[in-house]
């Protein structure tokens, strides 16, 4: 909103200084600052309200050190994250941008699903929360919206450069032209010719399948959003783990958005230029500010938990951002913490069922899943576990960024 106000003031009255709102770098910095302030100021007030309403976390005794001390800690703190993302984005981003609209819809959509889950747990005293099938239906619904928008929208394009045939080397630059095309391509990590066209991928199996790529791409989007949002949800098990890990991922995605939306950087690094994605830098920095600001209250010992209101949202946000920036194939590396947490649960459950059927008693791979609980059972303090997971997250983010040059 402020972007439009200051744009009007600049054009109508030529007021000195207001033109600074045209720069993404300035608006991204402002979004980060405002996001941090909202999380820190609004967060404290919300915690007081939640305490008065006795919106406390119900804890199952799993035999973990310090676990029962957290009983009664306010939950539904995800509202802090949502407010700290949405308000700066509405203030500083171009709201007519298709990608910004898609991110706002995704944030609110998953926030509502998470809120319903938390509401049932806290106020209806049902520890199971929202039935799993309804969560899946909500995630599938968002996947359909995102998949159809990215596949069919006229505003979702990539820039394709064309060099005139027979042009001399000296005239190569001047002979290059470009046009923005609707094309479902993504980035292959660690590959020199690193663009993968989904149509060609699907037509490889059968020429007929190439014309039905949407029926394969949209389910892929649904799977990615569901997997990453559930991964963040599972990771949110100890103080500061999900928020800190998500902040690291958010910084990486902000860098990708900056590069993919800037013709100079995209050309220099030889990466796909995606028109209008530069505006996502504002959303990404607001997201990072929200996660870091939330850590003010969520770091050990936590004064508030984000609940599903926050964890489902941040996972979905990361997934949709990666899809928009055509970096979904990097998710297993960038979101490696979420992936390993997910896998630890799947392996534990599968192995337990298999051994129970085969030997008559269930056996376990880990002392407890998800993985962070395994380390708690092993005697590690949760603050140390979180710090080390953050370090691993930084390493994975670095490897992801290295893919820009290592091909």
């Amino acid at each position: 909103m402020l972007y439009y106000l200051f744009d009007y003031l600049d054009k109508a009255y030529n007021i000195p200084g207001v033109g600074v709102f045209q720069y993404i770098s300035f608006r991204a910095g402002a979004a980060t600052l405002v996001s941090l302030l909202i999380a820190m100021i609004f967060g404290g007030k919300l915690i007081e309200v939640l305490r008065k309403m006795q919106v406390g976390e119900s804890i199952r005794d799993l035999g973990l050190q310090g676990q029962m001390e957290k009983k009664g800690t306010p939950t539904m703190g995800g509202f802090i994250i949502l407010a700290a993302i949405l308000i700066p984005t509405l203030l500083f981003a171009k709201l007519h941008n298709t990608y910004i609209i898609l991110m706002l819809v995704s944030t609110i959509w998953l926030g509502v699903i998470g809120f319903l889950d938390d509401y049932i747990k806290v106020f209806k005293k049902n520890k199971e929360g929202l039935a799993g099938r309804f969560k899946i239906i909500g995630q599938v619904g968002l996947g359909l919206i995102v998949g159809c928008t990215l596949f069919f929208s006229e505003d979702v394009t990539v820039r394709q450069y064309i060099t005139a045939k027979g042009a001399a080397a000296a005239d190569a630059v001047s002979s290059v032209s470009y046009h923005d095309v609707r094309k479902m391509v993504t980035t292959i990590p660690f590959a020199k010719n690193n663009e993968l066209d989904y149509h060609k991928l699907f037509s490889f199996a059968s020429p007929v399948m190439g014309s039905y790529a949407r029926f394969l791409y949209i389910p892929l989007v649904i799977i990615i959003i569901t997997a990453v949002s559930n991964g963040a949800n599972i990771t949110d098990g100890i103080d500061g783990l999900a928020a800190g890990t998500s902040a690291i991922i958010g910084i990486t995605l902000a860098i990708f958005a900056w590069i993919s939306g800037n013709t100079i950087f995209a050309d220099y690094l030889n990466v796909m230029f995606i028109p209008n994605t530069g505006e996502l830098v504002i959303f990404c920095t607001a997201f990072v500010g929200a996660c870091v600001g939330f850590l003010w209250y969520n770091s050990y010992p936590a004064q508030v938990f984000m609940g599903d209101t926050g964890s489902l949202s941040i996972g979905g946000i990361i997934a949709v951002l990666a899809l928009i920036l055509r970096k979904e194939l990097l998710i297993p590396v960038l979101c490696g913490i979420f992936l390993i947490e997910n896998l630890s649960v799947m392996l534990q459950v599968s192995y337990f069922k298999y051994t129970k059927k085969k030997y008559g008693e269930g056996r376990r791979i880990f002392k407890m899943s998800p993985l962070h609980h395994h380390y708690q059972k092993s005697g590690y303090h949760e603050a140390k576990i979180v710090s080390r997971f953050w370090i691993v997250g930084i390493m994975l983010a670095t490897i992801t960024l290295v893919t820009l040059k290592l091909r």
Side-chain angles (χ1 to χ4, degrees), residues 26 51 135 151 182 241 259 262 283 335 349 370:
F26 174 81
R51 280 178 180 156
K135 283 186 184 178
F151 200 96
R182 285 177 54 230
L241 180 56
I259 292 169
N262 185 292
F283 185 92
C335 301
V349 172

Side-chain angles (χ1 to χ4, degrees), residues 328-340:
E328 62 267 28
L329 298 184
L330 283 168
I331 285 177
V333 180
L334 179 59
C335 301
I337 298 294
F338 296 165
L339 176 63
I340 198 67

Side-chain angles (χ1 to χ4, degrees), residues 243-316:
T245 304
S246 298
I248 294 165
I249 295 170
I251 292 170
T252 309
L253 290 171
I255 294 170
F256 278 126
W258 183 281
I259 292 169
S260 298
N262 185 292
T263 53
I264 297 173
F265 294 151
D267 180 61
Y268 172 71
L269 293 168
N270 191 27
V271 299
M272 190 188 309
F273 176 69
I274 311 169
N276 303 316
T277 52
E279 204 64 24
L280 286 175
V281 177
I282 288 91
F283 185 92
C284 290
T285 52
F287 174 76
V288 172
C291 291
V292 173
F294 183 72
L295 281 173
W296 185 270
Y297 300 104
N298 185 241
S299 57
Y300 182 84
Q303 297 171 256
V304 66
F305 300 137
M306 68 172 69
D308 283 13
T309 306
S311 60
L312 284 176
S313 298
I314 60 178

Side-chain angles (χ1 to χ4, degrees), residues 186-196 269-271 329-330 402-407:
T186 191
T187 304
I188 308 173
F190 304 109
K192 189 169 184 180
N193 298 314
N194 64 340
E195 289 186 10
L196 172 67
L269 293 168
N270 191 27
V271 299
L329 298 184
L330 283 168
V402 165
T403 62
L404 290 169
K405 293 298 287 183
L406 188 61
R407 300 174 190 168

Side-chain angles (χ1 to χ4, degrees), residues 29-165:
T32 307
L33 181 60
V34 172
S35 180
L36 283 166
L37 290 173
I38 290 171
M40 293 166 67
I41 296 170
F42 172 68
K45 296 184 181 298
L46 179 63
I47 291 170
E48 291 178 12
V49 172
L50 293 173
R51 280 178 180 156
K52 288 178 182 178
M53 295 174 64
Q54 297 183 333
V55 182
E57 182 78 9
S58 58
I59 303 290
R60 288 187 302 166
D61 190 359
L62 300 174
L64 298 171
Q65 183 182 3
Q67 180 193 21
M68 298 312 294
E69 296 172 8
K70 299 181 180 184
K71 189 174 182 179
T73 302
T75 187
M76 300 176 77
F79 281 117
I80 299 170
I81 297 174
L82 295 180
I85 293 173
L86 295 173
I87 294 173
T89 302
L90 291 171
L91 287 175
F92 298 107
K94 296 179 182 178
L95 301 181
H96 63 274
N97 184 292
T98 301
Y99 300 123
I100 291 294
I101 294 170
L102 197 57
M103 292 313 307
L104 292 173
V105 169
S106 300
T107 304
I108 296 169
W109 187 285
L110 289 172
V112 169
I113 295 171
F115 166 73
L116 290 174
D117 187 54
D118 288 335
Y119 180 84
I120 293 170
K121 287 178 182 176
V122 173
F123 293 101
K124 300 298 182 182
K125 307 300 180 184
N126 183 345
K127 292 183 180 180
E128 298 301 320
L130 187 66
R133 63 180 180 276
F134 292 119
K135 283 186 184 178
I136 295 297
I137 289 171
Q139 291 165 331
V140 169
L142 178 62
L144 287 171
I145 293 171
V146 173
C148 290
T149 302
L150 294 179
F151 200 96
F152 296 110
S153 175
E154 296 291 337
D155 297 323
V156 177
T157 60
V158 295
R159 183 152 295 178
Q160 195 170 60
Y161 293 92
I162 303 168
T163 303
K165 292 182 179 180

